[in-house]
Amino acid sequence: MIPALAADGLLAAGILALALGCVATRRAFASAALFIAYGLLLALAWARLDAPDVALTEASIGAGLSGVLLLGGVRRLEGLAEPSPDAETGPLLTILIGIGCAALTVAIGAAVLLLPDPTPSLAPQVAANLATTDLGNPVTAVLMSFRALDTLLESAVVLLAVVCVWALTPEGGWGGVAGLRQPVVRDGPLALLARVLPPLGIVIAIHILWVGADAPGGKFQAAAVLAAMWLMPWMAGLAPAPRIDARWLRLVLAAGPALFILIGLGGALAEGAFLAYPPGWAKPLILAIEIVLTASIAVALALLVMGPPEPPR
Amino acid sequence: MTGTIFGLVGAALIGIGLFGMLVRRDALLRILSFNLLGGGVFLVFGAVARRGAGAGFGGDPVPQAIILTGIVVAFAATTLAVALVLRLAAAKDRA
Amino acid sequence: MAWDMLPMLAVMLPVLAMVAAVPLGARGAERLTLAYAPVGLALAIGIMLVVQLGGVPIRQELGHWAPPLGIAFRADGLAAAMLLTAALIIGAIAIFARADFGTAAGAAERRQAFAFWPLLLGLWAAINLAVVANDLFTLYVALELLTFAAMPLVCLDGSRATLQAALRYLMFALLGSVLYLLGVALIYGSAGTLDIVLLAQRVRGDIPVMIAIAVMTAGLLAKTALLPLHLWLPPAHAGAPAAASAVLSALVVKGSFVLVLRLWFGVMARVPMPDAAQILAGLGAAAILLGSVAALGQARLKLLVAYSTVAQIGYLFLMFPLLAASAGEVAAKAWTGGVVQAVSHAFAKAAMFLAAGIMAARFGHDRIADLSGAGRAMPVTLLTFALAGLSLMGVPPSGGFAAKWLLLSAAIGAGQWWWALVILGGGLLTGGYVYRVLAMGLRAGDPAPEPAPVAWQRDGIALALALVSVVLGFLPLAAFGLVQIGRLDVSP
Amino acid sequence: MSLLADGVTILCVLAGLVFFAAGTVGLLRFPDTASRLHALTKADHLGLGLVVLGLLPQMDSLAGILRLLAFWALVLLASAATGPMIARLLRRQGGIT
């Protein structure tokens, strides 16, 4: 009990210190670096909260991909003209905002402490219905069966985000390859990582996807790892980014959400409710959706990090 | 207990993130603060999930699945914001 | 029996079309959108008929999983009205936008054309989802879908000013949705479900729930642009291309508004909050007066129309204290008045933005002071603007009149006469800024130096939308009974 | 048998923790970035290696053992790559002479 409490306390203090550092630091680069460390500690917090699926997602997406994105953003902003120094917030306003935010924290903290005990939970209902899905991982069952609609819509949101990022293409860049062209790195540590890691990473991603049905893991975590395995050689200039008007690319992006919707509509026809799986078919259909969706989401995540095409210099 | 501790951490992160979003002027730092705020919200939800442990699960799987979805959506929003900031900076550069 | 599929189809088919639009490319996406528009309209009409004739909301439990474990769609009268509004406006915008974002056969794909059609479809899906979803987290996803679809529309032309407006909008919107999500977490922790119908039965006014409702409302108000959280709206809505401005002002802000209604009169159906409702309406009244005054002072037409949106959003919040403080007939009037305001403003504002866009395209600018001669050069466009303006003012027999009259009589019925004064004052101010534009347009003057031809279809579409906003007022009051169906704040 | 395994685990993990602690002290106390980097990577490699070694007897399946080894190998690879990267960055900024 006491060691566990001490561990939680240390972790909590670390998270808060890093978060404060992120907000207080003057330099954007330092902020982004602290943010990655914060994300990793947060993943540990999720492990302590007995949410291994969330921990994996936080580590891979919240810390990993977001970190790459923010660091890359900081570097590119430094390369552009000095950002016009907008006036800093005045001291009086800063204090007022600080008081307001502190009040919000106190209110939320009070709400957390005043939640009913025992907290109402759907865990018993999930446990009771888990068998009908043939899945062993309750989180996957929620994502793919009980609340499959959210997962479906979320995959559409990710696709729409790619459209949004592409819509920000500067004049003259349309139809080019996604993101900045990366200089080729032939040797050195990055080239080593870019060559050695992907085969290993792909195996790990497939493993995460496969065990996701019964153990912590699943499509989002696997897709994030796959995206990283694409981004690594891309950053080293070894794997070119795709042209955004490539037909195959757009088909892969759309395949996952489209298959999910079509299977859902099939359920409406066969079983009388959208996203209802015919008895005995739940697991194979879910696996099929997960595999195709992993590919779509992996490509989408990588494209989101790469950013819109740039016009040729 | 663990749930309550991290729920309170979440509440603190919400305050810190909101403060950063409102006070900092640098757009990237605002985006970063938005992510801190989001992390805090997820932790509060995580505290709810932990307190709902039962039926052999270490936490209520329904909020856990919701948090997972939320993290992915928040990431997509972050990429969008970063792309917009970079595009705006490049437009300023050219002007 | 299969009627219960309709709301699901109204959401999932546009999502599917949006997904398919990406591999189809700009030209394919354009044709798909135009082909889907009548299907979407038919679905909306079907849902309206089923709800109206059946007298009860349409429900479907997805995957046969009943809430609280599963998610249900629930199309009530309010949803049916909003679905039909969205279908008509988006269909009209799709035809209108062909001139701007169309791709000729064999032509190379353009960025704006590629982006516009999936964004429009995504926006349609998001609006439909926001009105039929009955689960607080699904509604969060709808909000994000709405934000993602709307943000790039703001900066479609890629200029610095619009990019700046888009960034500001995105920051407001993201802050709004994350606050909403925070409330979702606290509500789940208190009640163990996210289903609005179940919540309406379970929720008591304990502290975590009250805090949740407060942060959620604040977040949604930022998205709805209720004063003082409106600062992002005028540059964003005025900078977008006309077709985009029209959907943004007509529909996008209504999506988050419907969520506020779902919270206050769904989740909190058994917990009246009359004092908080007075504050909301106070903000609404401030928005009506300050927004209208700001509109009066604008030099540019599109900014004037955008500030008019800020003001008209204010009217939507007058229904809150009237509903909180009364029951029966008076509350029903307030509810109907609010919903009719949302619908008639949607049509009028879409028409107004399209008219403003046509004029700006013709003149090459949108400076109000230099619009003289518009009446002679483009009488239909100016007529459209005038008709839409009449509806916004609340001149009989327009839809805007019906809305404002219902709110007015509810205010008097509830003994809160001060809101009636606000409604009347707002109408006068609206008259002022609409008159300013018309007077300038009717002044004899030199039309545009080079007469760019305006396609008659574009004028026709804008005029048709304006006519709908006027004709709404001719509907017999009984037709508005539709929006009463499925109200959760009325004890069954 | 299991007593022996537990003994190995406890010894190895404790030894690993000592290395971790040493590495952390080095990180905090060493004067310049290059030697901090050295202390961090070397001590952590040994520390992690010992912890993994200590946990191996506790695994009841081949898959578990493989996972542990893969974990160790990945961390080695990552720090083998990032160490030189930071050093190179320093050299470019004139931090190491």
Side-chain angles (χ1 to χ4, degrees):
Chain A
M1 184 61 201
I2 298 298
L5 204 61
D8 287 345
L10 270 178
L11 199 52
I15 291 172
L16 289 179
L18 287 170
L20 282 172
C22 274
V23 173
T25 311
R26 290 274 148 221
R27 290 180 51 220
F29 182 86
S31 248
L34 288 175
F35 178 78
I36 296 176
Y38 153 88
L40 290 174
L41 283 196
L42 208 54
L44 285 181
W46 286 116
R48 288 287 306 149
L49 286 167
D50 252 320
D53 294 270
V54 181
L56 281 173
T57 314
E58 175 62 41
S60 57
I61 297 183
L65 289 182
S66 295
V68 171
L69 180 82
L70 288 168
L71 280 179
V74 170
R75 226 191 64 189
R76 281 182 64 182
L77 271 186
E78 281 168 356
L80 294 165
E82 201 61 25
S84 60
D86 300 327
E88 285 289 318
T89 312
L92 183 67
L93 193 60
T94 305
I95 291 171
L96 284 180
I97 292 174
I99 293 172
C101 293
L104 180 68
T105 291
V106 170
I108 306 300
V112 169
L113 292 175
L114 289 172
L115 285 178
D117 201 25
T119 304
S121 169
L122 290 174
Q125 288 209 32
V126 173
N129 291 295
L130 195 56
T132 59
T133 62
D134 295 326
L135 298 169
N137 179 353
V139 175
T140 305
V142 175
L143 283 173
M144 296 307 294
S145 185
F146 309 137
R147 294 183 66 94
L149 175 72
D150 288 343
T151 312
L152 192 173
L153 290 168
E154 179 209 7
S155 68
V157 168
V158 172
L159 174 70
L160 189 65
V162 175
V163 174
C164 295
V165 167
W166 286 358
L168 294 170
T169 306
E171 223 42 63
W174 189 252
V177 298
L180 277 183
R181 276 161 217 276
Q182 305 288 324
V184 181
V185 182
R186 292 241 168 267
D187 49 22
L190 182 59
L192 171 78
L193 274 186
R195 286 203 189 87
V196 176
L197 215 46
L200 213 65
I202 290 169
V203 173
I204 292 173
I206 293 172
H207 174 74
I208 292 176
L209 172 64
W210 192 250
V211 301
D214 296 312
K219 63 212 152 307
F220 294 124
Q221 298 91 335
V225 174
L226 281 179
M229 291 311 121
W230 190 8
L231 289 169
M232 191 95 65
W234 170 70
M235 284 190 282
L238 300 175
R243 284 174 60 92
I244 61 162
D245 55 0
R247 179 54 69 92
W248 69 266
L249 182 73
R250 293 187 179 180
L251 281 173
V252 173
L253 276 175
L259 178 73
F260 207 158
I261 297 174
L262 290 176
I263 288 181
L265 290 174
L269 281 181
E271 297 294 314
F274 187 65
L275 286 169
Y277 305 112
W281 279 84
K283 192 164 184 182
L285 283 176
I286 287 174
L287 278 180
I289 295 171
E290 288 221 299
I291 289 168
V292 181
L293 209 51
T294 304
S296 294
I297 294 178
V299 170
L301 292 178
L303 288 169
L304 286 175
V305 175
M306 289 173 183
E310 293 289 326
R313 292 277 159 93
Chain B
M1 196 59 206
T2 301
T4 308
I5 289 177
F6 286 110
L8 293 177
V9 171
L13 284 177
I14 291 167
I16 294 171
L18 186 63
F19 180 79
M21 249 184 123
L22 297 178
V23 165
R24 299 309 300 263
R25 290 285 169 226
D26 185 313
L28 271 183
L29 287 177
R30 284 188 159 174
I31 296 171
L32 216 139
S33 302
F34 160 73
N35 272 284
L36 295 177
L37 173 51
V41 171
F42 294 138
L43 269 187
V44 170
F45 223 151
V48 169
R50 181 75 178 99
R51 292 166 61 119
F57 301 137
D60 185 346
V62 172
Q64 289 186 357
I66 287 175
I67 295 163
L68 221 154
T69 309
I71 290 177
V72 180
V73 173
F75 171 73
T78 307
T79 61
L80 216 57
V82 170
L84 192 52
V85 168
L86 289 175
R87 176 81 174 77
L88 188 61
K92 270 185 183 153
D93 207 16
R94 221 164 293 148
Chain C
M1 192 52 219
W3 296 126
D4 62 348
M5 295 286 175
L6 290 180
M8 176 278 288
L9 289 173
V11 172
M12 294 323 302
L13 290 184
V15 175
L16 186 60
M18 177 196 88
V19 170
V22 173
L24 282 175
R27 184 168 158 77
E30 173 194 347
R31 296 163 81 170
L32 180 65
T33 310
L34 290 167
Y36 176 69
V39 179
L41 181 60
L43 282 171
I45 293 175
I47 291 168
M48 192 198 71
L49 288 176
V50 173
V51 173
Q52 175 82 305
L53 296 176
V56 287
I58 311 175
R59 243 184 102 85
Q60 183 177 33
E61 289 165 356
L62 301 172
H64 289 309
W65 295 113
L69 184 59
I71 297 172
F73 278 158
R74 177 175 182 273
D76 55 4
L78 167 65
M82 294 308 293
L83 285 172
L84 190 57
T85 307
L88 283 170
I89 290 178
I90 288 179
I93 297 294
I95 303 171
F96 184 90
R98 283 191 80 184
D100 301 315
F101 304 109
T103 307
E109 185 180 81
R110 291 179 306 133
R111 171 183 67 88
Q112 301 186 347
F114 166 79
F116 180 78
W117 302 103
L119 292 174
L120 188 68
L121 287 165
L123 206 141
W124 195 353
I127 296 276
N128 288 358
L129 181 65
V131 299
V132 304
N134 196 43
D135 179 281
L136 291 181
F137 185 70
T138 308
L139 286 170
Y140 166 79
V141 182
L143 280 178
E144 292 293 48
L145 202 59
L146 203 55
T147 302
F148 285 20
M151 188 281 282
L153 286 178
V154 169
C155 59
L156 215 48
D157 79 352
S159 72
R160 241 177 79 182
T162 59
L163 287 166
Q164 200 110 46
L167 184 60
R168 191 193 270 194
Y169 170 46
L170 185 65
M171 284 302 174
F172 266 94
L174 291 181
L175 185 58
S177 34
V178 83
L179 287 178
Y180 173 86
L181 187 63
L182 172 60
V184 173
L186 293 176
I187 287 187
Y188 184 87
S190 304
T193 178
L194 295 173
D195 184 82
I196 294 177
V197 174
L198 289 177
L199 284 170
Q201 299 156 7
R202 286 189 196 176
V203 162
R204 300 283 167 269
D206 44 359
I207 291 172
V209 172
M210 294 313 268
I211 292 175
I213 293 292
V215 293
M216 290 167 105
T217 306
L220 292 170
L221 294 187
K223 282 180 169 264
T224 314
L226 178 65
L227 194 112
L229 299 171
H230 66 290
L231 287 173
W232 60 267
L233 188 143
H237 285 193
S245 303
V247 276
L248 291 173
S249 248
L251 297 174
V252 173
V253 287
K254 307 289 163 42
S256 41
F257 170 70
V258 169
L259 257 72
V260 184
L261 285 184
R262 299 282 191 222
L263 283 186
W264 281 58
F265 305 110
V267 174
M268 304 298 276
R270 301 278 178 278
V271 189
M273 300 177 284
D275 297 337
Q278 289 287 339
I279 296 175
L280 267 193
L283 293 176
I288 295 172
L289 301 176
L290 297 178
S292 302
V293 169
L296 266 172
Q298 292 305 312
R300 306 187 80 102
L301 184 57
K302 288 187 84 178
L303 271 172
L304 179 147
V305 182
Y307 271 103
S308 152
T309 298
V310 172
Q312 295 286 326
I313 286 167
Y315 283 103
L316 297 173
F317 289 89
L318 296 185
M319 67 195 277
F320 284 77
L322 309 178
L323 273 162
S326 56
E329 189 80 1
V330 174
K333 266 187 190 168
W335 176 270
T336 305
V339 177
V340 174
Q341 165 68 13
V343 171
S344 72
H345 171 254
F347 285 106
K349 193 46 63 73
M352 212 174 221
F353 258 123
L354 294 187
I358 294 171
M359 283 195 239
R362 173 74 153 74
F363 281 85
H365 67 80
D366 71 339
R367 290 187 299 277
I368 299 170
D370 299 330
L371 287 181
S372 53
R376 194 149 49 85
M378 37 205 331
V380 179
T381 316
L382 205 64
L383 175 67
T384 301
F385 195 93
L387 285 175
L390 288 182
S391 186
L392 292 187
M393 278 187 260
V395 172
S398 64
F401 165 73
K404 276 141 207 165
W405 184 78
L406 282 165
L407 286 171
L408 199 88
S409 54
I412 291 165
Q416 303 183 15
W417 49 269
W418 48 93
W419 304 127
L421 292 183
V422 172
I423 294 170
L424 293 173
L428 285 178
L429 287 169
T430 312
Y433 62 73
V434 172
Y435 173 77
R436 226 185 109 211
V437 176
L438 294 182
M440 192 51 75
L442 289 172
R443 188 180 294 178
D446 209 12
E450 43 178 309
V454 175
W456 64 268
Q457 297 99 321
R458 281 161 79 86
D459 256 338
I461 287 164
L463 183 62
L465 288 172
L467 282 174
V468 173
S469 83
V470 171
V471 167
L472 272 175
F474 285 107
L475 286 179
L477 261 185
F480 295 140
L482 169 73
V483 303
Q484 298 288 337
I485 294 171
R487 264 175 68 193
L488 289 169
D489 57 327
V490 185
S491 308
Chain D
M1 190 59 203
S2 91
L3 197 66
L4 184 67
D6 286 353
V8 169
T9 299
I10 290 170
L11 274 181
C12 284
V13 170
L14 277 180
L17 287 181
V18 170
F19 275 101
F20 267 116
T24 312
V25 170
L27 177 70
L28 294 174
R29 302 294 298 171
F30 277 171
D32 60 308
T33 312
S35 39
R36 281 183 190 166
L37 211 58
H38 180 83
L40 193 64
T41 47
K42 292 297 171 301
D44 279 5
H45 287 174
L46 274 171
L48 183 69
L50 282 167
V51 171
V52 167
L53 195 68
L55 289 179
L56 283 181
Q58 304 294 326
M59 290 291 124
D60 45 10
S61 70
L62 186 64
I65 292 174
L66 281 179
R67 242 178 277 184
L68 265 184
L69 290 176
F71 174 64
W72 184 54
L74 279 173
V75 172
L76 269 189
L77 184 66
S79 68
T82 46
M85 266 189 222
I86 296 175
R88 194 180 279 196
L89 200 68
L90 275 177
R91 203 155 42 228
R92 214 175 296 155
Q93 293 179 349
I96 294 180
T97 44

